[in-house]
Amino acid sequence: MNSVWPLLITLTYVAIAMIIGLRARNGCAKNADMNSLEEWGVAGRSMGPVTLYLLIAAGSVSAYTFMGAPGWAYSKGVAVFYVAIYLAYLALIAWYFGPKVWQFGDQFGHVTQASAIADRYQSPALGALAALVMAIGSVAYAVLQTIGSAYILFVMSGGMIPIWLGVLSVLACIAVYLYASGQRAIGRTNAFQGVLMLIVAWAVGLWAVHSATGGLSFSGVFERIQTEHSEFLTLPGAGGDMSFSFWTTSIIVSMFSFMPPVWTQWMSASSARTIRRSATWLPTYYVVILPMVVVGFIGIFSLPELARADTVALEYAMQHLPVVLVGLLGAGTLAASMSSSEPFIHSVSLSLSKDVLQPVLKLSDGATGKLARLLILPIMFLVVAPLAIAEPGSLVMILLVGLGFASQVLPAFIGMFFWPRASRLGVMAGIVAGFLVTVAFTTLWPHPLGIHAGFWGLMINLPVFVAVSLMTPATNDDVVERFFRIAAPRGFTRLGGAKK
């Protein structure tokens, strides 16, 4: 494609996102201090239901919507629909847990997930451990998004912007407005990006279906797949590499990964009721992924020799769609990538500053707030950028590996919401055991018996957590009661026992 329009449209999107991100700080109260953790970290707990709806939706619908998911549909077939299960689960989790987390933050002053863990178990060391383990999963997610962003610029520029330059350019753009406006920038840019993604996904998807079948019904695509490539409609898929056990355990691991940016989003709401209202409507947004998955299936019979599955949507668009739609697809994909990398980079910086460096260096809250803003730079350019330039694997696989590590913090949440007897040492022992098993089964013996490494980690993690908790002292009753006044499930007492 020789037209400059796709690149111009994509760069216009970048310029608009930067303006919105920089102007987001204008929404601060007159005397608000952007160096405070409360303001930079959780936007002064001020976000309304519409902004929160788009913030959560756009943050969870990332580069895999336009690249990874079509790529999996193209290479593996129906295995891609794990995403639909995962997204439906995210909405349910936000509806149930979101208001409780908001109350934790409002009443106890938490600004990060790890600080809530440290408070529940009265252990800064456990908070730091949780922050470090979660940082691995979060960095993996940010790397995935950055690779997607750089690839878009590479394609839209016809190769004039190499991957390494695209990585640095996107990160520099995000760094400017993230440093300036923090969580407010994430909220405003995600709102813009969320609307853009929804429009682009359906426009590209319907146009692609029409160009491939002559109609607008998705059924024509799947009828042709069933006739010509029926192996894509059952597990283990055409490549034979997606067994039922790996598919199922990947979903379970994803569901147990309570990622820090989601926690931060909930604490940024103006009220608990705001979260409940936003979460109720979240499923209406997640239809954004459906048309792009269909484009991946179209690629099976339209682009049979594609070298890189993650590029199927872009390749199909460049060969069959008008240049304006190609440009909008580039902008939409970049929006998806940036809207997801921003909160993960932000949360890693926030949590490492608050939960690791502040207790170790004994910093004041003011110094910690300044440190959190500055820390985004080394995280971006010394960690995320080198990993993204190295491109360590397929986009969805990077995500699943990251979630495998993040899921090992599950015991901390069990003790926070459901089991008062959970102890500090029990949670620590579970996390360490699960983490080591996940590392071994990711690097040395990848996914034994076709079961996800993170699931193996949980199978060791949870029994260790329960056994050590029962053998070691529980957290003080007053702390447990303080949490369970908010967190106890309906029908249970604040100490977790069933009402008589």
Side-chain angles (χ1 to χ4, degrees):
M1 178 174 291
N2 297 320
S3 174
V4 298
W5 281 106
L7 179 61
L8 290 177
I9 292 172
T10 305
L11 293 179
T12 300
Y13 151 75
V14 175
I16 294 173
M18 281 201 68
I19 293 170
I20 291 173
L22 287 171
R23 291 176 62 86
R25 64 180 301 160
N26 296 341
C28 298
K30 188 175 181 180
N31 298 322
D33 179 8
M34 194 51 73
N35 282 325
S36 75
L37 293 170
E38 187 78 13
E39 189 58 50
W40 190 81
V42 293
R45 308 184 202 274
S46 62
M47 291 186 179
V50 175
T51 301
L52 194 68
Y53 165 82
L54 290 169
L55 171 65
I56 298 174
S60 55
V61 176
S62 57
Y64 67 71
T65 302
F66 294 92
M67 296 182 71
W72 263 40
Y74 176 81
S75 61
K76 303 181 188 301
V78 292
V80 68
F81 287 115
Y82 95 90
V83 173
I85 299 171
Y86 175 60
L87 290 177
Y89 167 80
L90 282 184
L92 182 63
I93 288 294
W95 190 89
Y96 180 78
F97 289 102
K100 297 175 187 290
V101 169
W102 186 88
Q103 286 183 275
F104 289 160
D106 183 57
Q107 294 184 24
F108 309 148
H110 307 153
V111 293
T112 66
Q113 183 186 72
S115 61
I117 293 172
D119 186 17
R120 159 63 178 86
Y121 296 97
Q122 296 293 287
S123 172
L126 178 56
L129 176 65
L132 291 170
V133 171
M134 279 296 190
I136 295 175
S138 297
V139 166
Y141 204 88
V143 168
L144 182 154
Q145 308 308 324
T146 307
I147 292 172
S149 300
Y151 186 77
I152 292 303
L153 291 177
F154 175 79
V155 173
M156 294 297 113
S157 68
M160 290 188 296
I161 302 178
I163 294 296
W164 67 267
L165 182 57
V167 166
L168 296 179
S169 301
V170 169
L171 290 178
C173 171
I174 294 174
V176 169
Y177 62 73
L178 199 55
Y179 177 83
S181 309
Q183 182 70 353
R184 289 184 185 276
I186 296 173
R188 295 288 180 86
T189 55
N190 274 22
F192 165 64
Q193 290 157 344
V195 173
L196 177 65
M197 284 188 280
L198 191 60
I199 295 172
V200 169
W202 277 95
V204 169
L206 290 175
W207 200 294
V209 169
H210 187 268
S211 71
T213 67
L216 293 176
S217 171
F218 293 169
S219 62
V221 175
F222 289 100
E223 287 169 359
R224 184 166 175 182
I225 293 291
Q226 185 177 26
T227 301
E228 301 177 8
H229 304 281
S230 59
E231 67 275 17
F232 282 91
L233 299 182
T234 56
L235 296 178
D241 58 349
M242 185 52 63
S243 65
F244 179 78
S245 57
F246 188 76
W247 189 76
T248 305
T249 53
S250 294
I251 292 173
I252 293 172
V253 165
S254 301
M255 293 170 73
F256 287 153
S257 302
F258 226 172
M259 298 300 277
V262 176
W263 195 283
T264 306
Q265 290 164 0
W266 295 342
M267 286 195 292
S268 302
S270 58
S271 69
R273 185 167 177 265
T274 296
I275 301 175
R276 186 64 53 84
R277 292 170 64 189
S278 300
T280 300
W281 289 98
L282 272 179
T284 63
Y285 188 87
Y286 291 146
V287 296
V288 67
I289 202 165
L290 182 60
M292 298 312 299
V293 167
V294 173
V295 174
F297 279 102
I298 291 173
I300 293 171
F301 54 79
S302 299
L303 302 167
E305 302 299 327
L306 201 57
R308 181 173 172 174
D310 289 334
T311 66
V312 60
L314 278 172
E315 292 290 344
Y316 187 85
M318 287 191 293
Q319 294 185 26
H320 298 279
L321 304 189
V323 291
V324 173
L325 267 185
V326 175
L328 287 174
L329 178 60
T333 309
L334 199 55
S337 304
M338 292 172 64
S339 65
S340 296
S341 63
E342 295 162 12
F344 279 87
I345 292 168
H346 173 262
S347 74
V348 171
S349 180
L350 188 64
S351 193
L352 291 182
S353 303
K354 171 65 179 173
D355 305 306
V356 179
L357 297 175
Q358 184 178 27
V360 170
L361 302 177
K362 302 189 184 308
L363 300 175
S364 66
D365 284 343
T368 306
K370 293 178 182 177
L371 178 63
R373 295 179 75 184
L374 290 171
L375 200 58
I376 61 171
L377 299 177
I379 291 172
M380 285 181 168
F381 296 105
L382 299 181
V383 180
V384 175
L387 290 173
I389 292 170
E391 294 189 76
S394 84
L395 298 186
V396 176
M397 196 55 70
I398 294 171
L399 172 63
L400 289 177
V401 169
L403 292 177
F405 286 107
S407 65
Q408 302 312 314
V409 186
L410 177 64
F413 307 123
I414 292 175
M416 189 175 295
F417 293 102
F418 301 111
W419 195 36
R421 185 61 182 81
S423 76
R424 169 178 62 87
L425 293 175
V427 174
M428 280 184 172
I431 291 175
V432 171
F435 181 80
L436 293 176
V437 169
T438 304
V439 170
F441 287 177
T442 299
T443 56
L444 301 179
W445 307 284
H447 313 299
L449 302 178
I451 295 174
H452 193 286
F455 190 80
W456 281 112
L458 284 176
M459 286 196 288
I460 301 299
N461 179 335
L462 294 177
V464 169
F465 156 60
V466 172
V468 175
S469 288
L470 292 175
M471 292 187 294
T472 54
T475 310
N476 294 339
D477 285 347
D478 59 330
V479 176
V480 175
E481 289 188 21
R482 175 159 60 85
F483 271 81
F484 275 74
R485 276 198 297 270
I486 296 171
R490 186 183 296 276
F492 281 66
T493 68
R494 63 189 181 185
L495 289 178
K499 285 181 176 177
K500 298 180 179 177

